[in-house]
Amino acid sequence: MAIKAKPRMRVDQERLVEAAADLVNRNGLDNLSMNELALALGVRTPSLYSHVEGLDDVRRLLALRGLENLDRYIARAALGKSSDAAVRAIFLAFRELALASPGVYAAALPTAPRGDREWNAAKDQVTKTILTVLSGYGLEGDEEIHVLRGLRSIAHGFVSLETSGALKNPVDRDESYEWLIGAFLTSLNELKKSKRKTRKGGGKS
């Protein structure tokens, strides 16, 4: 009796991105290939080009997925909170996402090409969400960018070391992360206090 071949599953861009996300989360973003992706989807590699232009296009779609996830995590974590509690929630959301989906998180990090409106808009949305949370600290001008960069540098730096296996010391990593968050909040509140004093003093030194 002849064995019937299994029918191929329908592949669309959504399924392709889901499969790519699963692969990069398990094996790392740098290890993704079109052949591996085709194998995961049970199709021939050339058929993937009906949905994407190539590996760079897959990485772009993963970046969009990662930025969307990051914005959702941040917004959800900060919902109903303000000031220090909201900022702490952002830090925790960064780490939660990076540990849960390391490959997709990594895909969201590169700078978007200048002409890619969708990618740049997704990055801008993440920035807007974070700055909305920081608005209660009275930041002005370049201060917003300094604080934003500081927050993202601390969060990304820590989770990058953590996911790479570099933090091998037995000291609890959760405590270390909370210590960093506390140090950041202390600096942020000192800045807020200083600005209040300056305004009360009419800007005089």
Side-chain angles (χ1 to χ4, degrees):
M1 180 177 179
I3 299 176
K4 293 183 179 180
K6 291 182 179 180
R8 290 180 179 179
M9 295 182 67
R10 179 177 177 273
V11 175
D12 54 23
Q13 194 174 86
E14 182 63 25
R15 279 202 67 233
L16 187 150
V17 174
E18 287 291 343
D22 181 63
L23 286 171
V24 298
N25 285 335
R26 287 192 285 112
N27 304 326
L29 182 64
D30 292 339
N31 294 318
L32 181 65
S33 71
M34 295 297 282
N35 289 340
E36 183 185 32
L37 182 55
L39 184 62
L41 288 165
V43 299
R44 296 173 59 194
T45 302
S47 67
L48 296 180
Y49 292 88
S50 299
H51 309 285
V52 292
E53 295 178 2
L55 190 58
D56 286 344
D57 197 18
V58 177
R59 286 172 173 264
R60 175 186 178 274
L61 293 171
L62 288 172
L64 293 174
R65 171 71 61 89
L67 290 166
E68 179 185 346
N69 289 347
L70 181 57
D71 187 64
R72 185 173 65 250
Y73 265 63
I74 289 172
R76 184 180 62 193
L79 184 66
K81 302 180 181 68
S82 61
S83 302
D84 290 6
V87 173
R88 174 174 274 103
I90 288 179
F91 273 106
L92 297 178
F94 262 97
R95 188 178 180 215
E96 179 184 351
L97 178 61
L99 294 178
S101 305
V104 175
Y105 173 80
L109 296 176
T111 300
R114 184 171 296 180
D116 194 321
R117 294 184 179 181
E118 186 178 12
W119 194 341
N120 278 285
K123 276 190 169 292
D124 289 344
Q125 180 57 46
V126 173
T127 298
K128 180 180 178 181
T129 300
I130 297 174
L131 289 178
T132 298
V133 173
L134 293 171
S135 62
Y137 291 90
L139 304 174
E140 299 173 339
D142 291 349
E143 288 177 339
E144 284 189 331
I145 303 304
H146 295 326
V147 172
L148 175 66
R149 286 174 176 170
L151 187 156
R152 297 190 70 171
S153 295
I154 291 171
H156 174 63
F158 189 90
V159 298
S160 295
L161 290 170
E162 186 173 26
T163 54
S164 71
L167 304 181
K168 297 183 182 299
N169 191 288
V171 172
D172 188 87
R173 292 195 296 271
D174 292 346
E175 292 182 6
S176 295
Y177 197 54
E178 284 291 342
W179 186 91
L180 285 169
I181 296 171
F184 180 85
L185 289 173
T186 296
S187 296
L188 191 56
N189 282 296
E190 284 297 324
L191 175 62
K192 182 178 180 180
K193 188 184 300 182
S194 175
K195 292 173 69 64
R196 283 178 176 173
K197 287 182 179 179
T198 299
R199 283 196 293 267
K200 288 181 179 180
K204 296 179 181 180
S205 58

